[in-house]
Amino acid sequence: MTRGFTPATNEPAADANAVSEVVVTAQRLNAARQSIEPSLGASTYTINSAAIAAQPGGENQQLNQVILQLPGVVQDSFGQFHVRDDHNGIQYRLNGIILPEGISVFGQTLSPRLIDSLSLITGAMPAQYGLQTAGIIDISTKSGLENGGSVSIYGGSHGTYEPSFEYGGHDGETNFFVSGEFRRTQLGIESPDGTSTPDHDRADEGNLFVYVDHTLSAQDRVSFIGGYANDRFQIPDTPGLGPANGFAVGSTTDYPSQLLNETQREVTGFALGSYLHDGGSYTVQTSIFSRYSTLDFRPSPIGDLLYTGIAQDAFKRDVAIGVQSEGVYKLTPDHTVRGGVIIQGERGTSDTSSQVLPIGDDGTTGATPVTIIDNGGKTQYVYSLYLQDEWKILQNLILNYGARADDLNSYRDQKQLSPRVNLVWLPTPDTTLHAGYARYFNPPPFELVGTETVSKFQNTTGASTITTDTTPFAERQNYYDVGGQQRLLNRRLTLGVDVFYRKSNELIDEGQFGAPIILTPFNYQNGLIFGQEFTASYTQGPLSAYANFTHERAQGKSINSSQFSFDPADLVYISHNYIYLDHDQTYTGSAGASYLFREGVIGGTRAGFDLLYGSGLRRDQVLPDGSTVPNGAHVPDYVTVNLTLAHHFTLPYAGHVDVRFDVVNVADKEYEIRDGTGVGVGAPQFGARRGFFGGITKSF
């Protein structure tokens, strides 16, 4: 290869052919990696970085806000979301590598800034997906194939201030990308009383992301992905309340609620390293993944004792490390075989120091707190193996079948062999139909399983009426999924429908019990979830639009683990009746559109909107006789609309500059996400009120 020279300096000029070869090789290896784990027969919804930037907030919004615009995703408090009426069950993957679950509740470890494309994979999934199967959030990260970066400042209502940066590039055979941001807001957690900016609700959130890869040859590449997030939250107060239990701490019996000072800090770090080899007819990727996370809750000592009878300082730590080796082999023109092994070890520890008030034999409550220390820990190992065959029966008919074996050694030792089968048929080039069955095995979230020693709290204000504490079980599911897509109007319009049915034994749910905002898993002995999804998307030149609508129902019967957390009357009722799960929402919708003006005075301007609709999460129903049906009703339905306006400038001396203006909840709708009642539900939470935000980004 001949290298050119510039006459002025006689120095080597940039070799465009060499750069092009690096890009082509990287893209080919990316395609080889993606061939290891296709989502054949599953329901897959994808959004790329350009579509994220066109949403209100763009890359400045948090990741959960991006995911809420995808089909079948339900909004909840604490930044949580639910896919197809499952409480958790979400597995994140970065460039195909599993990111182990952490114990953060409020914080968003991953930022939209690192995303090149994001896919939500759900339904009856092939055998490579397991353990968390409500949905796979599969993220292809930015990788620095183009040199350049940007710095940005964004902020506005609720005291929001968010500086950020990103930069990527390549040097020879090495590509890299790095991004970081800091976010401060006075609306860190949802408002408990519907006010726009609640008392004591500041959050400071920072994260950093790094990607590096190095091409060893045309067939081999090594890569590293790392991230760190450090988030601090105040727990918001509801003003105007006072203790109602009649407790005293020393001589103190009153404590205004606006003086409560609970805080929570969440820290997460992760590192993923992988080696990819593409042998033409086969591709193998072997990765090592690790994650470290902590959660530290600090109570308001006197206030918590007076309001709840317990002030608990709780610290949880979870460390996970594992290996993931997967490959694909083109056995014949009609058969493609895929297989893999995943081994993960995890150590979780929990240290709590609880101040409680003693209760005497005569039932009187003392005024001098006592401290109960309750520390514990556990190590878990999970071994998974899968093998499957993609059989091209006809040119337009593909059968993917296989099985997955999972072996769990944890609080319980459980295992399962899970068959999978998916059929995909393309009767026309614009029509795709699929049907699938999956047997799933879902362990309870290890990092959240409670280690509290119930007996230590007897004869105190921290005691539970129920002392039974059965360790949570792994959930076992039979999952059925049928759907299709049709492209119309020269493929500008795509319509989709998907129907799913899931029957579970030991259905896993989670609840927030007590002051520390730490979710606790529990099981319904029997569970049933089903629903239908309808999707539409349209693209024509500068216009893009989408709409999603979901109807679903989730019910469970007979709570048979973590019983000490529940009201005795609820346990009795649920043991004889199916109830709606607390996170069930019957109807959910999302929609959005954006338009880019390309010419004229406003050329380079993009305008758009998005909206969310929810029929309301569950709450308790009070009958005329005063009895209660757990989760028998729902909070009122709501619609929120967000707007965005952005313009790209190319300035003579400043270069490329982008400005944007966003309005969140345009109508200033006051709506409840939770009302404080329901199985495993904590305090009330309201959605964010109207907010005005603006930002400026300088690219270089």
Side-chain angles (χ1 to χ4, degrees), residues 511-528:
Q512 192 255 307
F513 307 100
I517 314 297
I518 302 171
L519 301 178
T520 299
F522 61 93
N523 298 96
Y524 291 92
Q525 186 172 343
N526 304 108
L528 184 64

Side-chain angles (χ1 to χ4, degrees), residues 405-409 412-418 441 474 476:
D406 295 295
D407 188 349
L408 171 69
N409 299 317
R412 293 182 180 274
D413 293 343
Q414 298 177 273
K415 62 186 66 177
Q416 180 173 290
L417 179 65
S418 305
F441 175 78
R476 303 174 191 270

Side-chain angles (χ1 to χ4, degrees), residues 378-559:
K378 183 69 176 178
T379 301
Q380 168 180 278
Y381 294 97
V382 183
Y383 308 91
S384 302
L385 177 70
Y386 73 87
L387 184 66
Q388 59 189 351
D389 175 34
E390 178 188 331
W391 177 18
K392 185 177 290 186
I393 301 173
L394 300 172
Q395 189 64 29
N396 64 343
L397 184 64
I398 299 173
L399 177 68
N400 192 77
Y401 62 97
R404 179 186 180 98
D406 295 295
D407 188 349
L408 171 69
N409 299 317
S410 184
Y411 291 96
R412 293 182 180 274
D413 293 343
Q414 298 177 273
K415 62 186 66 177
Q416 180 173 290
L417 179 65
S418 305
R420 311 282 179 87
V421 60
N422 285 284
L423 186 67
V424 180
W425 180 38
L426 285 77
T428 76
D430 293 324
T431 306
T432 303
L433 303 175
H434 72 266
Y437 164 77
R439 176 72 169 162
Y440 287 143
F441 175 78
N442 303 118
F446 172 77
E447 70 282 358
L448 299 180
V449 174
T451 59
E452 182 176 292
T453 307
V454 178
S455 60
K456 288 187 175 184
F457 292 86
Q458 294 306 302
N459 301 317
T460 74
T461 51
S464 171
T465 306
I466 303 268
T467 58
T468 306
D469 182 19
T470 305
T471 301
F473 300 86
E475 179 178 352
R476 303 174 191 270
Q477 302 177 17
N478 289 306
Y479 200 112
Y480 306 87
D481 187 281
V482 178
Q485 281 192 341
Q486 179 67 51
R487 291 184 291 186
L488 303 166
L489 303 179
N490 293 324
R491 301 187 174 183
R492 296 192 296 271
L493 174 65
T494 301
L495 302 177
V497 61
D498 208 87
V499 179
F500 57 92
Y501 176 87
R502 161 184 157 190
K503 190 173 183 180
S504 298
N505 292 323
E506 310 298 349
L507 183 147
I508 296 173
D509 200 350
E510 297 175 15
Q512 192 255 307
F513 307 100
I517 314 297
I518 302 171
L519 301 178
T520 299
F522 61 93
N523 298 96
Y524 291 92
Q525 186 172 343
N526 304 108
L528 184 64
I529 298 177
F530 62 88
Q532 308 86 40
E533 290 174 354
F534 304 91
T535 63
S537 62
Y538 180 84
T539 302
Q540 172 62 36
L543 173 66
S544 62
Y546 65 91
N548 308 303
F549 185 78
T550 304
H551 165 260
E552 53 197 348
R553 189 168 78 180
Q555 293 181 307
K557 180 182 178 182
S558 188
I559 294 173

Side-chain angles (χ1 to χ4, degrees), residues 335-362:
H335 289 273
T336 302
V337 178
R338 296 178 175 87
V341 59
I342 302 103
I343 301 172
Q344 178 175 323
E346 191 167 358
R347 176 67 180 175
T349 58
S350 176
D351 299 335
T352 63
S353 175
S354 304
Q355 285 193 307
V356 293
L357 299 173
I359 298 178
D361 295 337
D362 59 357

Side-chain angles (χ1 to χ4, degrees), residues 152-235:
S152 176
I153 183 70
Y154 185 79
S157 298
H158 317 303
T160 302
Y161 169 76
E162 184 178 343
S164 63
F165 76 93
E166 60 180 76
Y167 184 75
H170 54 263
D171 182 8
E173 305 298 328
T174 301
N175 303 306
F176 67 92
F177 175 80
V178 59
S179 68
E181 64 188 29
F182 171 79
R183 179 174 181 264
R184 170 170 291 177
T185 177
Q186 301 297 327
L187 185 62
I189 302 172
E190 290 84 3
S191 171
D193 59 359
T195 56
S196 179
T197 304
D199 290 342
H200 196 262
D201 199 11
R202 174 174 150 178
D204 291 337
E205 304 171 76
N207 65 62
L208 180 69
F209 174 82
V210 176
Y211 172 88
V212 181
D213 73 46
H214 181 73
T215 302
L216 302 172
S217 69
Q219 293 78 37
D220 300 275
R221 181 175 68 189
V222 293
S223 63
F224 170 82
I225 300 172
Y228 177 77
N230 191 329
D231 306 322
R232 299 171 182 266
F233 301 90
Q234 295 177 330
I235 309 301

